[in-house]
PDB file of all heavy atoms in Angstrom:
ATOM      1  N   ASP A   1     383.940  71.665 191.685  1.00  0.00           N
ATOM      2  CA  ASP A   1     383.982  70.701 190.591  1.00  0.00           C
ATOM      3  C   ASP A   1     384.810  71.245 189.436  1.00  0.00           C
ATOM      4  O   ASP A   1     385.030  72.454 189.317  1.00  0.00           O
ATOM      5  CB  ASP A   1     382.569  70.385 190.096  1.00  0.00           C
ATOM      6  CG  ASP A   1     381.689  69.788 191.182  1.00  0.00           C
ATOM      7  OD1 ASP A   1     382.239  69.121 192.084  1.00  0.00           O
ATOM      8  OD2 ASP A   1     380.458  69.983 191.132  1.00  0.00           O
ATOM      9  N   LEU A   2     385.234  70.351 188.576  1.00  0.00           N
ATOM     10  CA  LEU A   2     385.943  70.718 187.351  1.00  0.00           C
ATOM     11  C   LEU A   2     385.009  70.460 186.171  1.00  0.00           C
ATOM     12  O   LEU A   2     384.435  69.380 186.049  1.00  0.00           O
ATOM     13  CB  LEU A   2     387.222  69.889 187.189  1.00  0.00           C
ATOM     14  CG  LEU A   2     387.998  70.071 185.880  1.00  0.00           C
ATOM     15  CD1 LEU A   2     388.533  71.492 185.766  1.00  0.00           C
ATOM     16  CD2 LEU A   2     389.133  69.064 185.775  1.00  0.00           C
ATOM     17  N   TYR A   3     384.837  71.483 185.321  1.00  0.00           N
ATOM     18  CA  TYR A   3     384.016  71.356 184.128  1.00  0.00           C
ATOM     19  C   TYR A   3     384.926  71.391 182.907  1.00  0.00           C
ATOM     20  O   TYR A   3     385.719  72.315 182.740  1.00  0.00           O
ATOM     21  CB  TYR A   3     382.978  72.473 184.053  1.00  0.00           C
ATOM     22  CG  TYR A   3     381.889  72.336 185.086  1.00  0.00           C
ATOM     23  CD1 TYR A   3     382.034  72.904 186.350  1.00  0.00           C
ATOM     24  CD2 TYR A   3     380.727  71.629 184.811  1.00  0.00           C
ATOM     25  CE1 TYR A   3     381.041  72.767 187.314  1.00  0.00           C
ATOM     26  CE2 TYR A   3     379.729  71.492 185.767  1.00  0.00           C
ATOM     27  CZ  TYR A   3     379.891  72.064 187.015  1.00  0.00           C
ATOM     28  OH  TYR A   3     378.905  71.921 187.958  1.00  0.00           O
ATOM     29  N   CYS A   4     384.800  70.373 182.081  1.00  0.00           N
ATOM     30  CA  CYS A   4     385.663  70.228 180.907  1.00  0.00           C
ATOM     31  C   CYS A   4     384.808  70.373 179.648  1.00  0.00           C
ATOM     32  O   CYS A   4     383.944  69.533 179.377  1.00  0.00           O
ATOM     33  CB  CYS A   4     386.346  68.861 180.956  1.00  0.00           C
ATOM     34  SG  CYS A   4     387.463  68.544 179.603  1.00  0.00           S
ATOM     35  N   ARG A   5     385.019  71.455 178.903  1.00  0.00           N
ATOM     36  CA  ARG A   5     384.260  71.697 177.674  1.00  0.00           C
ATOM     37  C   ARG A   5     384.988  71.048 176.494  1.00  0.00           C
ATOM     38  O   ARG A   5     386.173  71.283 176.274  1.00  0.00           O
ATOM     39  CB  ARG A   5     384.080  73.190 177.421  1.00  0.00           C
ATOM     40  CG  ARG A   5     383.241  73.507 176.190  1.00  0.00           C
ATOM     41  CD  ARG A   5     383.146  74.996 175.968  1.00  0.00           C
ATOM     42  NE  ARG A   5     382.341  75.624 176.991  1.00  0.00           N
ATOM     43  CZ  ARG A   5     381.020  75.781 176.905  1.00  0.00           C
ATOM     44  NH1 ARG A   5     380.377  75.353 175.845  1.00  0.00           N
ATOM     45  NH2 ARG A   5     380.360  76.376 177.867  1.00  0.00           N
ATOM     46  N   ILE A   6     384.246  70.249 175.725  1.00  0.00           N
ATOM     47  CA  ILE A   6     384.839  69.443 174.658  1.00  0.00           C
ATOM     48  C   ILE A   6     384.762  70.170 173.308  1.00  0.00           C
ATOM     49  O   ILE A   6     383.747  70.784 172.973  1.00  0.00           O
ATOM     50  CB  ILE A   6     384.120  68.076 174.548  1.00  0.00           C
ATOM     51  CG1 ILE A   6     384.291  67.276 175.848  1.00  0.00           C
ATOM     52  CG2 ILE A   6     384.631  67.283 173.363  1.00  0.00           C
ATOM     53  CD1 ILE A   6     385.729  66.928 176.185  1.00  0.00           C
ATOM     54  N   ALA A   7     385.845  70.077 172.545  1.00  0.00           N
ATOM     55  CA  ALA A   7     385.870  70.544 171.160  1.00  0.00           C
ATOM     56  C   ALA A   7     386.434  69.407 170.311  1.00  0.00           C
ATOM     57  O   ALA A   7     387.533  68.909 170.592  1.00  0.00           O
ATOM     58  CB  ALA A   7     386.721  71.806 171.016  1.00  0.00           C
ATOM     59  N   VAL A   8     385.678  68.963 169.293  1.00  0.00           N
ATOM     60  CA  VAL A   8     386.116  67.866 168.425  1.00  0.00           C
ATOM     61  C   VAL A   8     386.792  68.448 167.193  1.00  0.00           C
ATOM     62  O   VAL A   8     386.211  69.264 166.472  1.00  0.00           O
ATOM     63  CB  VAL A   8     384.927  66.971 168.009  1.00  0.00           C
ATOM     64  CG1 VAL A   8     385.416  65.801 167.151  1.00  0.00           C
ATOM     65  CG2 VAL A   8     384.196  66.443 169.245  1.00  0.00           C
ATOM     66  N   ARG A   9     388.029  68.042 166.949  1.00  0.00           N
ATOM     67  CA  ARG A   9     388.783  68.538 165.791  1.00  0.00           C
ATOM     68  C   ARG A   9     388.134  68.089 164.476  1.00  0.00           C
ATOM     69  O   ARG A   9     387.567  66.995 164.383  1.00  0.00           O
ATOM     70  CB  ARG A   9     390.231  68.028 165.823  1.00  0.00           C
ATOM     71  CG  ARG A   9     391.120  68.702 166.807  1.00  0.00           C
ATOM     72  CD  ARG A   9     392.582  68.369 166.535  1.00  0.00           C
ATOM     73  NE  ARG A   9     392.839  66.940 166.639  1.00  0.00           N
ATOM     74  CZ  ARG A   9     393.133  66.313 167.773  1.00  0.00           C
ATOM     75  NH1 ARG A   9     393.192  66.988 168.910  1.00  0.00           N
ATOM     76  NH2 ARG A   9     393.365  65.013 167.782  1.00  0.00           N
ATOM     77  N   ARG A  10     388.264  68.921 163.460  1.00  0.00           N
ATOM     78  CA  ARG A  10     387.771  68.572 162.128  1.00  0.00           C
ATOM     79  C   ARG A  10     388.605  67.419 161.556  1.00  0.00           C
ATOM     80  O   ARG A  10     389.834  67.431 161.623  1.00  0.00           O
ATOM     81  CB  ARG A  10     387.857  69.786 161.204  1.00  0.00           C
ATOM     82  CG  ARG A  10     387.266  69.540 159.812  1.00  0.00           C
ATOM     83  CD  ARG A  10     387.454  70.774 158.947  1.00  0.00           C
ATOM     84  NE  ARG A  10     386.723  71.896 159.488  1.00  0.00           N
ATOM     85  CZ  ARG A  10     385.447  72.146 159.236  1.00  0.00           C
ATOM     86  NH1 ARG A  10     384.768  71.329 158.447  1.00  0.00           N
ATOM     87  NH2 ARG A  10     384.862  73.205 159.750  1.00  0.00           N
ATOM     88  N   HIS A  11     387.924  66.430 161.000  1.00  0.00           N
ATOM     89  CA  HIS A  11     388.610  65.272 160.419  1.00  0.00           C
ATOM     90  C   HIS A  11     388.967  65.566 158.969  1.00  0.00           C
ATOM     91  O   HIS A  11     388.250  66.293 158.268  1.00  0.00           O
ATOM     92  CB  HIS A  11     387.708  64.036 160.503  1.00  0.00           C
ATOM     93  CG  HIS A  11     388.426  62.734 160.296  1.00  0.00           C
ATOM     94  ND1 HIS A  11     388.705  62.237 159.045  1.00  0.00           N
ATOM     95  CD2 HIS A  11     388.919  61.827 161.189  1.00  0.00           C
ATOM     96  CE1 HIS A  11     389.336  61.075 159.168  1.00  0.00           C
ATOM     97  NE2 HIS A  11     389.480  60.807 160.456  1.00  0.00           N
ATOM     98  N   GLU A  12     390.074  65.001 158.503  1.00  0.00           N
ATOM     99  CA  GLU A  12     390.525  65.287 157.138  1.00  0.00           C
ATOM    100  C   GLU A  12     389.657  64.619 156.076  1.00  0.00           C
ATOM    101  O   GLU A  12     389.653  65.055 154.916  1.00  0.00           O
ATOM    102  CB  GLU A  12     391.983  64.861 156.965  1.00  0.00           C
ATOM    103  CG  GLU A  12     392.242  63.383 157.211  1.00  0.00           C
ATOM    104  CD  GLU A  12     393.715  63.038 157.088  1.00  0.00           C
ATOM    105  OE1 GLU A  12     394.446  63.846 156.491  1.00  0.00           O
ATOM    106  OE2 GLU A  12     394.129  61.970 157.585  1.00  0.00           O
ATOM    107  N   LEU A  13     388.912  63.568 156.441  1.00  0.00           N
ATOM    108  CA  LEU A  13     388.077  62.871 155.461  1.00  0.00           C
ATOM    109  C   LEU A  13     386.588  62.997 155.751  1.00  0.00           C
ATOM    110  O   LEU A  13     385.786  63.184 154.843  1.00  0.00           O
ATOM    111  CB  LEU A  13     388.435  61.371 155.413  1.00  0.00           C
ATOM    112  CG  LEU A  13     389.799  60.988 154.860  1.00  0.00           C
ATOM    113  CD1 LEU A  13     389.966  59.473 154.932  1.00  0.00           C
ATOM    114  CD2 LEU A  13     389.959  61.462 153.422  1.00  0.00           C
ATOM    115  N   PHE A  14     386.206  62.863 157.021  1.00  0.00           N
ATOM    116  CA  PHE A  14     384.804  62.732 157.383  1.00  0.00           C
ATOM    117  C   PHE A  14     384.245  64.021 157.971  1.00  0.00           C
ATOM    118  O   PHE A  14     384.912  64.714 158.738  1.00  0.00           O
ATOM    119  CB  PHE A  14     384.618  61.602 158.403  1.00  0.00           C
ATOM    120  CG  PHE A  14     385.099  60.259 157.918  1.00  0.00           C
ATOM    121  CD1 PHE A  14     386.296  59.731 158.367  1.00  0.00           C
ATOM    122  CD2 PHE A  14     384.360  59.539 156.995  1.00  0.00           C
ATOM    123  CE1 PHE A  14     386.749  58.504 157.929  1.00  0.00           C
ATOM    124  CE2 PHE A  14     384.804  58.306 156.539  1.00  0.00           C
ATOM    125  CZ  PHE A  14     386.001  57.784 157.006  1.00  0.00           C
ATOM    126  N   GLU A  15     382.999  64.295 157.610  1.00  0.00           N
ATOM    127  CA  GLU A  15     382.257  65.392 158.215  1.00  0.00           C
ATOM    128  C   GLU A  15     381.211  64.797 159.156  1.00  0.00           C
ATOM    129  O   GLU A  15     380.461  63.897 158.764  1.00  0.00           O
ATOM    130  CB  GLU A  15     381.572  66.238 157.142  1.00  0.00           C
ATOM    131  CG  GLU A  15     380.730  67.376 157.698  1.00  0.00           C
ATOM    132  CD  GLU A  15     379.972  68.129 156.628  1.00  0.00           C
ATOM    133  OE1 GLU A  15     380.242  67.888 155.424  1.00  0.00           O
ATOM    134  OE2 GLU A  15     379.094  68.951 156.985  1.00  0.00           O
ATOM    135  N   ARG A  16     381.147  65.308 160.381  1.00  0.00           N
ATOM    136  CA  ARG A  16     380.193  64.762 161.342  1.00  0.00           C
ATOM    137  C   ARG A  16     378.820  65.388 161.150  1.00  0.00           C
ATOM    138  O   ARG A  16     378.680  66.611 161.064  1.00  0.00           O
ATOM    139  CB  ARG A  16     380.680  65.014 162.774  1.00  0.00           C
ATOM    140  CG  ARG A  16     379.769  64.377 163.817  1.00  0.00           C
ATOM    141  CD  ARG A  16     380.291  64.564 165.217  1.00  0.00           C
ATOM    142  NE  ARG A  16     379.508  63.775 166.168  1.00  0.00           N
ATOM    143  CZ  ARG A  16     379.789  63.669 167.446  1.00  0.00           C
ATOM    144  NH1 ARG A  16     380.843  64.300 167.963  1.00  0.00           N
ATOM    145  NH2 ARG A  16     379.034  62.926 168.254  1.00  0.00           N
ATOM    146  N   LEU A  17     377.791  64.538 161.093  1.00  0.00           N
ATOM    147  CA  LEU A  17     376.399  64.974 161.026  1.00  0.00           C
ATOM    148  C   LEU A  17     375.653  64.281 162.162  1.00  0.00           C
ATOM    149  O   LEU A  17     375.070  63.209 161.962  1.00  0.00           O
ATOM    150  CB  LEU A  17     375.777  64.640 159.663  1.00  0.00           C
ATOM    151  CG  LEU A  17     376.484  65.197 158.424  1.00  0.00           C
ATOM    152  CD1 LEU A  17     375.846  64.652 157.151  1.00  0.00           C
ATOM    153  CD2 LEU A  17     376.448  66.724 158.421  1.00  0.00           C
ATOM    154  N   ASP A  18     375.721  64.870 163.347  1.00  0.00           N
ATOM    155  CA  ASP A  18     375.183  64.242 164.551  1.00  0.00           C
ATOM    156  C   ASP A  18     375.903  62.912 164.772  1.00  0.00           C
ATOM    157  O   ASP A  18     377.103  62.908 164.973  1.00  0.00           O
ATOM    158  CB  ASP A  18     373.669  64.082 164.448  1.00  0.00           C
ATOM    159  CG  ASP A  18     373.046  63.827 165.817  1.00  0.00           C
ATOM    160  OD1 ASP A  18     373.752  63.968 166.841  1.00  0.00           O
ATOM    161  OD2 ASP A  18     371.847  63.489 165.879  1.00  0.00           O
ATOM    162  N   ASN A  19     375.188  61.779 164.684  1.00  0.00           N
ATOM    163  CA  ASN A  19     375.854  60.492 164.865  1.00  0.00           C
ATOM    164  C   ASN A  19     376.248  59.847 163.540  1.00  0.00           C
ATOM    165  O   ASN A  19     376.864  58.781 163.530  1.00  0.00           O
ATOM    166  CB  ASN A  19     374.961  59.534 165.654  1.00  0.00           C
ATOM    167  CG  ASN A  19     374.788  59.964 167.095  1.00  0.00           C
ATOM    168  OD1 ASN A  19     375.641  60.649 167.653  1.00  0.00           O
ATOM    169  ND2 ASN A  19     373.675  59.571 167.702  1.00  0.00           N
ATOM    170  N   ASP A  20     375.873  60.466 162.424  1.00  0.00           N
ATOM    171  CA  ASP A  20     376.316  60.000 161.111  1.00  0.00           C
ATOM    172  C   ASP A  20     377.603  60.720 160.718  1.00  0.00           C
ATOM    173  O   ASP A  20     377.930  61.788 161.250  1.00  0.00           O
ATOM    174  CB  ASP A  20     375.248  60.282 160.048  1.00  0.00           C
ATOM    175  CG  ASP A  20     373.957  59.505 160.278  1.00  0.00           C
ATOM    176  OD1 ASP A  20     374.019  58.439 160.930  1.00  0.00           O
ATOM    177  OD2 ASP A  20     372.895  59.974 159.819  1.00  0.00           O
ATOM    178  N   VAL A  21     378.331  60.101 159.791  1.00  0.00           N
ATOM    179  CA  VAL A  21     379.493  60.775 159.200  1.00  0.00           C
ATOM    180  C   VAL A  21     379.317  60.766 157.684  1.00  0.00           C
ATOM    181  O   VAL A  21     378.752  59.827 157.108  1.00  0.00           O
ATOM    182  CB  VAL A  21     380.828  60.103 159.594  1.00  0.00           C
ATOM    183  CG1 VAL A  21     381.103  60.289 161.071  1.00  0.00           C
ATOM    184  CG2 VAL A  21     380.846  58.625 159.217  1.00  0.00           C
ATOM    185  N   LEU A  22     379.800  61.829 157.048  1.00  0.00           N
ATOM    186  CA  LEU A  22     379.655  61.983 155.598  1.00  0.00           C
ATOM    187  C   LEU A  22     381.026  61.951 154.944  1.00  0.00           C
ATOM    188  O   LEU A  22     381.963  62.609 155.399  1.00  0.00           O
ATOM    189  CB  LEU A  22     378.957  63.312 155.286  1.00  0.00           C
ATOM    190  CG  LEU A  22     378.850  63.688 153.809  1.00  0.00           C
ATOM    191  CD1 LEU A  22     377.926  62.723 153.075  1.00  0.00           C
ATOM    192  CD2 LEU A  22     378.365  65.125 153.655  1.00  0.00           C
ATOM    193  N   LEU A  23     381.121  61.162 153.865  1.00  0.00           N
ATOM    194  CA  LEU A  23     382.351  61.068 153.086  1.00  0.00           C
ATOM    195  C   LEU A  23     382.008  61.330 151.621  1.00  0.00           C
ATOM    196  O   LEU A  23     381.069  60.744 151.085  1.00  0.00           O
ATOM    197  CB  LEU A  23     382.969  59.677 153.237  1.00  0.00           C
ATOM    198  CG  LEU A  23     384.199  59.376 152.373  1.00  0.00           C
ATOM    199  CD1 LEU A  23     385.407  60.176 152.849  1.00  0.00           C
ATOM    200  CD2 LEU A  23     384.502  57.877 152.371  1.00  0.00           C
ATOM    201  N   GLU A  24     382.756  62.198 150.958  1.00  0.00           N
ATOM    202  CA  GLU A  24     382.581  62.432 149.532  1.00  0.00           C
ATOM    203  C   GLU A  24     383.575  61.570 148.756  1.00  0.00           C
ATOM    204  O   GLU A  24     384.781  61.597 149.043  1.00  0.00           O
ATOM    205  CB  GLU A  24     382.764  63.903 149.185  1.00  0.00           C
ATOM    206  CG  GLU A  24     381.648  64.795 149.705  1.00  0.00           C
ATOM    207  CD  GLU A  24     381.699  66.193 149.124  1.00  0.00           C
ATOM    208  OE1 GLU A  24     382.765  66.568 148.585  1.00  0.00           O
ATOM    209  OE2 GLU A  24     380.678  66.917 149.222  1.00  0.00           O
ATOM    210  N   VAL A  25     383.042  60.803 147.786  1.00  0.00           N
ATOM    211  CA  VAL A  25     383.882  59.887 147.016  1.00  0.00           C
ATOM    212  C   VAL A  25     383.778  60.231 145.533  1.00  0.00           C
ATOM    213  O   VAL A  25     382.682  60.154 144.950  1.00  0.00           O
ATOM    214  CB  VAL A  25     383.449  58.419 147.234  1.00  0.00           C
ATOM    215  CG1 VAL A  25     384.251  57.490 146.330  1.00  0.00           C
ATOM    216  CG2 VAL A  25     383.634  58.024 148.688  1.00  0.00           C
ATOM    217  N   PRO A  26     384.871  60.621 144.890  1.00  0.00           N
ATOM    218  CA  PRO A  26     384.835  60.877 143.449  1.00  0.00           C
ATOM    219  C   PRO A  26     384.828  59.557 142.673  1.00  0.00           C
ATOM    220  O   PRO A  26     385.545  58.611 143.012  1.00  0.00           O
ATOM    221  CB  PRO A  26     386.120  61.668 143.201  1.00  0.00           C
ATOM    222  CG  PRO A  26     387.042  61.272 144.316  1.00  0.00           C
ATOM    223  CD  PRO A  26     386.182  60.936 145.481  1.00  0.00           C
ATOM    224  N   VAL A  27     383.986  59.464 141.642  1.00  0.00           N
ATOM    225  CA  VAL A  27     383.953  58.279 140.773  1.00  0.00           C
ATOM    226  C   VAL A  27     384.029  58.746 139.328  1.00  0.00           C
ATOM    227  O   VAL A  27     383.676  59.884 138.989  1.00  0.00           O
ATOM    228  CB  VAL A  27     382.675  57.433 140.990  1.00  0.00           C
ATOM    229  CG1 VAL A  27     382.590  56.946 142.425  1.00  0.00           C
ATOM    230  CG2 VAL A  27     381.429  58.216 140.629  1.00  0.00           C
ATOM    231  N   THR A  28     384.473  57.869 138.471  1.00  0.00           N
ATOM    232  CA  THR A  28     384.584  58.216 137.054  1.00  0.00           C
ATOM    233  C   THR A  28     383.211  58.195 136.393  1.00  0.00           C
ATOM    234  O   THR A  28     382.255  57.590 136.893  1.00  0.00           O
ATOM    235  CB  THR A  28     385.507  57.234 136.320  1.00  0.00           C
ATOM    236  OG1 THR A  28     384.889  55.935 136.313  1.00  0.00           O
ATOM    237  CG2 THR A  28     386.869  57.151 137.013  1.00  0.00           C
ATOM    238  N   PHE A  29     383.140  58.852 135.229  1.00  0.00           N
ATOM    239  CA  PHE A  29     381.897  58.865 134.451  1.00  0.00           C
ATOM    240  C   PHE A  29     381.486  57.438 134.091  1.00  0.00           C
ATOM    241  O   PHE A  29     380.308  57.072 134.164  1.00  0.00           O
ATOM    242  CB  PHE A  29     382.109  59.715 133.197  1.00  0.00           C
ATOM    243  CG  PHE A  29     380.954  59.694 132.246  1.00  0.00           C
ATOM    244  CD1 PHE A  29     379.850  60.494 132.454  1.00  0.00           C
ATOM    245  CD2 PHE A  29     380.970  58.849 131.134  1.00  0.00           C
ATOM    246  CE1 PHE A  29     378.773  60.465 131.575  1.00  0.00           C
ATOM    247  CE2 PHE A  29     379.900  58.819 130.254  1.00  0.00           C
ATOM    248  CZ  PHE A  29     378.807  59.637 130.481  1.00  0.00           C
ATOM    249  N   CYS A  30     382.459  56.627 133.739  1.00  0.00           N
ATOM    250  CA  CYS A  30     382.152  55.250 133.333  1.00  0.00           C
ATOM    251  C   CYS A  30     381.623  54.430 134.501  1.00  0.00           C
ATOM    252  O   CYS A  30     380.666  53.664 134.356  1.00  0.00           O
ATOM    253  CB  CYS A  30     383.397  54.593 132.741  1.00  0.00           C
ATOM    254  SG  CYS A  30     383.900  55.280 131.149  1.00  0.00           S
ATOM    255  N   ASP A  31     382.249  54.562 135.681  1.00  0.00           N
ATOM    256  CA  ASP A  31     381.788  53.807 136.855  1.00  0.00           C
ATOM    257  C   ASP A  31     380.372  54.221 137.241  1.00  0.00           C
ATOM    258  O   ASP A  31     379.556  53.382 137.644  1.00  0.00           O
ATOM    259  CB  ASP A  31     382.725  54.035 138.034  1.00  0.00           C
ATOM    260  CG  ASP A  31     384.027  53.267 137.908  1.00  0.00           C
ATOM    261  OD1 ASP A  31     384.076  52.333 137.074  1.00  0.00           O
ATOM    262  OD2 ASP A  31     384.988  53.598 138.637  1.00  0.00           O
ATOM    263  N   ALA A  32     380.067  55.516 137.128  1.00  0.00           N
ATOM    264  CA  ALA A  32     378.723  55.979 137.470  1.00  0.00           C
ATOM    265  C   ALA A  32     377.700  55.454 136.471  1.00  0.00           C
ATOM    266  O   ALA A  32     376.571  55.087 136.837  1.00  0.00           O
ATOM    267  CB  ALA A  32     378.693  57.502 137.517  1.00  0.00           C
ATOM    268  N   ALA A  33     378.093  55.394 135.205  1.00  0.00           N
ATOM    269  CA  ALA A  33     377.156  54.950 134.173  1.00  0.00           C
ATOM    270  C   ALA A  33     376.978  53.437 134.175  1.00  0.00           C
ATOM    271  O   ALA A  33     375.859  52.932 134.017  1.00  0.00           O
ATOM    272  CB  ALA A  33     377.633  55.428 132.804  1.00  0.00           C
ATOM    273  N   LEU A  34     378.079  52.708 134.353  1.00  0.00           N
ATOM    274  CA  LEU A  34     378.038  51.253 134.218  1.00  0.00           C
ATOM    275  C   LEU A  34     377.909  50.528 135.550  1.00  0.00           C
ATOM    276  O   LEU A  34     377.555  49.347 135.586  1.00  0.00           O
ATOM    277  CB  LEU A  34     379.319  50.769 133.513  1.00  0.00           C
ATOM    278  CG  LEU A  34     379.573  51.348 132.132  1.00  0.00           C
ATOM    279  CD1 LEU A  34     380.918  50.875 131.598  1.00  0.00           C
ATOM    280  CD2 LEU A  34     378.449  50.967 131.174  1.00  0.00           C
ATOM    281  N   GLY A  35     378.196  51.233 136.645  1.00  0.00           N
ATOM    282  CA  GLY A  35     378.209  50.589 137.962  1.00  0.00           C
ATOM    283  C   GLY A  35     379.601  50.091 138.288  1.00  0.00           C
ATOM    284  O   GLY A  35     380.419  49.826 137.404  1.00  0.00           O
ATOM    285  N   ALA A  36     379.879  49.974 139.588  1.00  0.00           N
ATOM    286  CA  ALA A  36     381.212  49.529 140.013  1.00  0.00           C
ATOM    287  C   ALA A  36     381.164  49.143 141.478  1.00  0.00           C
ATOM    288  O   ALA A  36     380.195  49.422 142.190  1.00  0.00           O
ATOM    289  CB  ALA A  36     382.248  50.631 139.783  1.00  0.00           C
TER     290      ALA A  36
END
């Protein structure tokens, strides 16, 4: 048989957390205070 071991490349935006993905989004002080 042939066994193929998988390696997933790091994504430039998303971090994998099991089946979830994490994205960090910068927001301004005003948007955080007032909503947006």
